[in-house]
Amino acid sequence: MQPRTLAALAVVLVAAAVFAAVHFWSARPHSVRVPDPVNEGAPGRTSKPVAAGDALPEPSPGLPPATGPDGHVVVDVSGKVRKPGVLRLPSGSRVADALRAAGGARPGADLAGLNRARVLMDGEQIVVGVPPDPAGTGGAGGAAPGAGSGPLAGPVSLNQATVEQLDTLPGVGPVLAQHIIDYRTQHGGFRSVEELREVNGIGDRRFADLRPLVGP
């Protein structure tokens, strides 16, 4: 063979060898790094374990009821109960608790208009089984027959009045009277007359008309 032919053949062989080497290198298997396992105890992913002796966190309390300085409520229970008088009860007590502390209602006492599930407020008066006090010192625990059908002689108790009694107020119809009852039920009663502003449908002008006619 001619030297020129041998040189050309050598170049072709070298090129083929280089191509084969590159192809073999790129096709070889590569090692893949296994991802690190997730650490379940890593900060920010889970809460700190609570030891057996640690105290569990207390749940967030809701709005506290109106209480006296020592955490109790003092209420005046009068009317048709066996032991009327001023009672000191734990915070969160209800009207039913005050009735039990006063010895219970007397036989024949009308409790139809008394919300015994209502949370007590410090300083309030509970009048059981008698018509509303004309002087406005307390609401009626149980309305006498026909007591809610006409206008009242004194200020209307927002915490004890019925829908019919509220309906006798100027500018208050059955719908607005029901709004007042609903607000009283949802918030555990009225702590002041100013709270009447929060009732849906009572603006500044209507509140000014009602303020001298109502009481807590």
Side-chain angles (χ1 to χ4, degrees), residues 75-87 98-106:
V75 296
D76 180 11
V77 182
S78 61
K80 296 183 179 180
V81 292
R82 292 186 174 89
K83 298 177 181 179
V86 177
L87 304 175
L99 289 178
R100 282 193 293 268
R106 293 179 182 176

PDB file of all heavy atoms in Angstrom, residues 75-87 98-106:
ATOM      1  N   VAL A  75     -75.916  39.530  93.208  1.00  0.00           N
ATOM      2  CA  VAL A  75     -77.218  39.810  92.605  1.00  0.00           C
ATOM      3  C   VAL A  75     -78.269  39.890  93.699  1.00  0.00           C
ATOM      4  O   VAL A  75     -78.123  39.310  94.790  1.00  0.00           O
ATOM      5  CB  VAL A  75     -77.604  38.728  91.575  1.00  0.00           C
ATOM      6  CG1 VAL A  75     -76.643  38.729  90.405  1.00  0.00           C
ATOM      7  CG2 VAL A  75     -77.640  37.349  92.217  1.00  0.00           C
ATOM      8  N   ASP A  76     -79.335  40.606  93.413  1.00  0.00           N
ATOM      9  CA  ASP A  76     -80.466  40.764  94.337  1.00  0.00           C
ATOM     10  C   ASP A  76     -81.643  39.971  93.785  1.00  0.00           C
ATOM     11  O   ASP A  76     -82.178  40.299  92.717  1.00  0.00           O
ATOM     12  CB  ASP A  76     -80.815  42.246  94.473  1.00  0.00           C
ATOM     13  CG  ASP A  76     -81.979  42.478  95.433  1.00  0.00           C
ATOM     14  OD1 ASP A  76     -82.351  41.525  96.138  1.00  0.00           O
ATOM     15  OD2 ASP A  76     -82.498  43.604  95.462  1.00  0.00           O
ATOM     16  N   VAL A  77     -82.029  38.916  94.485  1.00  0.00           N
ATOM     17  CA  VAL A  77     -83.149  38.075  94.062  1.00  0.00           C
ATOM     18  C   VAL A  77     -84.345  38.401  94.953  1.00  0.00           C
ATOM     19  O   VAL A  77     -84.265  38.282  96.183  1.00  0.00           O
ATOM     20  CB  VAL A  77     -82.799  36.583  94.167  1.00  0.00           C
ATOM     21  CG1 VAL A  77     -83.967  35.724  93.664  1.00  0.00           C
ATOM     22  CG2 VAL A  77     -81.551  36.270  93.362  1.00  0.00           C
ATOM     23  N   SER A  78     -85.426  38.832  94.343  1.00  0.00           N
ATOM     24  CA  SER A  78     -86.621  39.200  95.098  1.00  0.00           C
ATOM     25  C   SER A  78     -87.840  38.633  94.396  1.00  0.00           C
ATOM     26  O   SER A  78     -87.743  37.995  93.345  1.00  0.00           O
ATOM     27  CB  SER A  78     -86.727  40.729  95.213  1.00  0.00           C
ATOM     28  OG  SER A  78     -86.830  41.320  93.932  1.00  0.00           O
ATOM     29  N   GLY A  79     -89.003  38.878  94.990  1.00  0.00           N
ATOM     30  CA  GLY A  79     -90.240  38.365  94.402  1.00  0.00           C
ATOM     31  C   GLY A  79     -90.659  37.072  95.065  1.00  0.00           C
ATOM     32  O   GLY A  79     -90.433  36.843  96.260  1.00  0.00           O
ATOM     33  N   LYS A  80     -91.216  36.171  94.253  1.00  0.00           N
ATOM     34  CA  LYS A  80     -91.793  34.941  94.777  1.00  0.00           C
ATOM     35  C   LYS A  80     -90.756  33.834  94.871  1.00  0.00           C
ATOM     36  O   LYS A  80     -90.792  32.831  94.147  1.00  0.00           O
ATOM     37  CB  LYS A  80     -92.971  34.510  93.903  1.00  0.00           C
ATOM     38  CG  LYS A  80     -94.127  35.510  93.933  1.00  0.00           C
ATOM     39  CD  LYS A  80     -95.307  35.026  93.116  1.00  0.00           C
ATOM     40  CE  LYS A  80     -96.464  36.024  93.184  1.00  0.00           C
ATOM     41  NZ  LYS A  80     -97.637  35.567  92.400  1.00  0.00           N
ATOM     42  N   VAL A  81     -89.789  34.017  95.776  1.00  0.00           N
ATOM     43  CA  VAL A  81     -88.801  32.990  96.096  1.00  0.00           C
ATOM     44  C   VAL A  81     -88.834  32.747  97.603  1.00  0.00           C
ATOM     45  O   VAL A  81     -89.288  33.586  98.383  1.00  0.00           O
ATOM     46  CB  VAL A  81     -87.384  33.408  95.638  1.00  0.00           C
ATOM     47  CG1 VAL A  81     -87.278  33.448  94.128  1.00  0.00           C
ATOM     48  CG2 VAL A  81     -86.996  34.756  96.225  1.00  0.00           C
ATOM     49  N   ARG A  82     -88.326  31.609  98.037  1.00  0.00           N
ATOM     50  CA  ARG A  82     -88.400  31.244  99.451  1.00  0.00           C
ATOM     51  C   ARG A  82     -87.424  32.058 100.309  1.00  0.00           C
ATOM     52  O   ARG A  82     -87.709  32.359 101.464  1.00  0.00           O
ATOM     53  CB  ARG A  82     -88.117  29.751  99.601  1.00  0.00           C
ATOM     54  CG  ARG A  82     -89.216  28.857  99.015  1.00  0.00           C
ATOM     55  CD  ARG A  82     -88.950  27.395  99.328  1.00  0.00           C
ATOM     56  NE  ARG A  82     -90.053  26.527  98.901  1.00  0.00           N
ATOM     57  CZ  ARG A  82     -90.132  25.978  97.700  1.00  0.00           C
ATOM     58  NH1 ARG A  82     -89.181  26.206  96.812  1.00  0.00           N
ATOM     59  NH2 ARG A  82     -91.160  25.217  97.385  1.00  0.00           N
ATOM     60  N   LYS A  83     -86.266  32.408  99.760  1.00  0.00           N
ATOM     61  CA  LYS A  83     -85.257  33.135 100.546  1.00  0.00           C
ATOM     62  C   LYS A  83     -84.758  34.341  99.742  1.00  0.00           C
ATOM     63  O   LYS A  83     -83.642  34.345  99.213  1.00  0.00           O
ATOM     64  CB  LYS A  83     -84.085  32.228 100.893  1.00  0.00           C
ATOM     65  CG  LYS A  83     -84.460  31.023 101.750  1.00  0.00           C
ATOM     66  CD  LYS A  83     -83.238  30.141 101.990  1.00  0.00           C
ATOM     67  CE  LYS A  83     -83.602  28.917 102.821  1.00  0.00           C
ATOM     68  NZ  LYS A  83     -82.406  28.043 103.030  1.00  0.00           N
ATOM     69  N   PRO A  84     -85.583  35.381  99.597  1.00  0.00           N
ATOM     70  CA  PRO A  84     -85.128  36.552  98.838  1.00  0.00           C
ATOM     71  C   PRO A  84     -83.982  37.261  99.559  1.00  0.00           C
ATOM     72  O   PRO A  84     -83.852  37.188 100.777  1.00  0.00           O
ATOM     73  CB  PRO A  84     -86.381  37.433  98.774  1.00  0.00           C
ATOM     74  CG  PRO A  84     -87.195  37.016  99.954  1.00  0.00           C
ATOM     75  CD  PRO A  84     -86.935  35.556 100.157  1.00  0.00           C
ATOM     76  N   GLY A  85     -83.158  37.945  98.778  1.00  0.00           N
ATOM     77  CA  GLY A  85     -82.056  38.687  99.370  1.00  0.00           C
ATOM     78  C   GLY A  85     -80.907  38.844  98.400  1.00  0.00           C
ATOM     79  O   GLY A  85     -80.988  38.454  97.225  1.00  0.00           O
ATOM     80  N   VAL A  86     -79.815  39.438  98.886  1.00  0.00           N
ATOM     81  CA  VAL A  86     -78.620  39.657  98.079  1.00  0.00           C
ATOM     82  C   VAL A  86     -77.740  38.411  98.174  1.00  0.00           C
ATOM     83  O   VAL A  86     -77.390  37.955  99.275  1.00  0.00           O
ATOM     84  CB  VAL A  86     -77.850  40.902  98.568  1.00  0.00           C
ATOM     85  CG1 VAL A  86     -76.571  41.084  97.758  1.00  0.00           C
ATOM     86  CG2 VAL A  86     -78.726  42.149  98.458  1.00  0.00           C
ATOM     87  N   LEU A  87     -77.367  37.877  97.006  1.00  0.00           N
ATOM     88  CA  LEU A  87     -76.600  36.637  96.941  1.00  0.00           C
ATOM     89  C   LEU A  87     -75.255  36.870  96.266  1.00  0.00           C
ATOM     90  O   LEU A  87     -75.150  37.680  95.336  1.00  0.00           O
ATOM     91  CB  LEU A  87     -77.383  35.566  96.162  1.00  0.00           C
ATOM     92  CG  LEU A  87     -78.786  35.231  96.676  1.00  0.00           C
ATOM     93  CD1 LEU A  87     -79.460  34.255  95.732  1.00  0.00           C
ATOM     94  CD2 LEU A  87     -78.714  34.660  98.079  1.00  0.00           C
ATOM     95  N   ALA A  98     -79.085  31.304  90.650  1.00  0.00           N
ATOM     96  CA  ALA A  98     -79.557  32.283  91.622  1.00  0.00           C
ATOM     97  C   ALA A  98     -80.887  31.836  92.243  1.00  0.00           C
ATOM     98  O   ALA A  98     -81.120  32.010  93.442  1.00  0.00           O
ATOM     99  CB  ALA A  98     -79.711  33.655  90.961  1.00  0.00           C
ATOM    100  N   LEU A  99     -81.759  31.238  91.434  1.00  0.00           N
ATOM    101  CA  LEU A  99     -83.032  30.748  91.962  1.00  0.00           C
ATOM    102  C   LEU A  99     -82.807  29.630  92.981  1.00  0.00           C
ATOM    103  O   LEU A  99     -83.453  29.592  94.037  1.00  0.00           O
ATOM    104  CB  LEU A  99     -83.916  30.246  90.826  1.00  0.00           C
ATOM    105  CG  LEU A  99     -84.513  31.317  89.887  1.00  0.00           C
ATOM    106  CD1 LEU A  99     -85.319  30.645  88.785  1.00  0.00           C
ATOM    107  CD2 LEU A  99     -85.385  32.285  90.669  1.00  0.00           C
ATOM    108  N   ARG A 100     -81.880  28.720  92.687  1.00  0.00           N
ATOM    109  CA  ARG A 100     -81.592  27.637  93.637  1.00  0.00           C
ATOM    110  C   ARG A 100     -81.002  28.200  94.931  1.00  0.00           C
ATOM    111  O   ARG A 100     -81.333  27.750  96.024  1.00  0.00           O
ATOM    112  CB  ARG A 100     -80.631  26.633  93.003  1.00  0.00           C
ATOM    113  CG  ARG A 100     -81.301  25.680  92.025  1.00  0.00           C
ATOM    114  CD  ARG A 100     -80.386  24.533  91.669  1.00  0.00           C
ATOM    115  NE  ARG A 100     -79.225  24.992  90.913  1.00  0.00           N
ATOM    116  CZ  ARG A 100     -79.175  25.038  89.590  1.00  0.00           C
ATOM    117  NH1 ARG A 100     -80.226  24.668  88.879  1.00  0.00           N
ATOM    118  NH2 ARG A 100     -78.078  25.450  88.979  1.00  0.00           N
ATOM    119  N   ALA A 101     -80.097  29.204  94.799  1.00  0.00           N
ATOM    120  CA  ALA A 101     -79.495  29.785  95.995  1.00  0.00           C
ATOM    121  C   ALA A 101     -80.520  30.523  96.842  1.00  0.00           C
ATOM    122  O   ALA A 101     -80.350  30.668  98.058  1.00  0.00           O
ATOM    123  CB  ALA A 101     -78.363  30.736  95.591  1.00  0.00           C
ATOM    124  N   ALA A 102     -81.584  31.008  96.209  1.00  0.00           N
ATOM    125  CA  ALA A 102     -82.649  31.705  96.943  1.00  0.00           C
ATOM    126  C   ALA A 102     -83.725  30.749  97.438  1.00  0.00           C
ATOM    127  O   ALA A 102     -84.806  31.191  97.832  1.00  0.00           O
ATOM    128  CB  ALA A 102     -83.275  32.780  96.052  1.00  0.00           C
ATOM    129  N   GLY A 103     -83.476  29.460  97.408  1.00  0.00           N
ATOM    130  CA  GLY A 103     -84.432  28.480  97.916  1.00  0.00           C
ATOM    131  C   GLY A 103     -85.454  28.018  96.909  1.00  0.00           C
ATOM    132  O   GLY A 103     -86.343  27.228  97.227  1.00  0.00           O
ATOM    133  N   GLY A 104     -85.381  28.508  95.673  1.00  0.00           N
ATOM    134  CA  GLY A 104     -86.334  28.118  94.648  1.00  0.00           C
ATOM    135  C   GLY A 104     -87.564  29.010  94.639  1.00  0.00           C
ATOM    136  O   GLY A 104     -87.828  29.762  95.582  1.00  0.00           O
ATOM    137  N   ALA A 105     -88.280  28.947  93.541  1.00  0.00           N
ATOM    138  CA  ALA A 105     -89.498  29.748  93.410  1.00  0.00           C
ATOM    139  C   ALA A 105     -90.613  29.167  94.267  1.00  0.00           C
ATOM    140  O   ALA A 105     -90.684  27.957  94.502  1.00  0.00           O
ATOM    141  CB  ALA A 105     -89.924  29.812  91.948  1.00  0.00           C
ATOM    142  N   ARG A 106     -91.483  30.034  94.747  1.00  0.00           N
ATOM    143  CA  ARG A 106     -92.625  29.599  95.530  1.00  0.00           C
ATOM    144  C   ARG A 106     -93.649  28.903  94.631  1.00  0.00           C
ATOM    145  O   ARG A 106     -93.711  29.164  93.430  1.00  0.00           O
ATOM    146  CB  ARG A 106     -93.277  30.792  96.223  1.00  0.00           C
ATOM    147  CG  ARG A 106     -92.404  31.432  97.292  1.00  0.00           C
ATOM    148  CD  ARG A 106     -93.105  32.621  97.904  1.00  0.00           C
ATOM    149  NE  ARG A 106     -92.282  33.285  98.900  1.00  0.00           N
ATOM    150  CZ  ARG A 106     -92.628  34.400  99.535  1.00  0.00           C
ATOM    151  NH1 ARG A 106     -93.795  34.980  99.246  1.00  0.00           N
ATOM    152  NH2 ARG A 106     -91.829  34.937 100.440  1.00  0.00           N
TER     153      ARG A 106
END
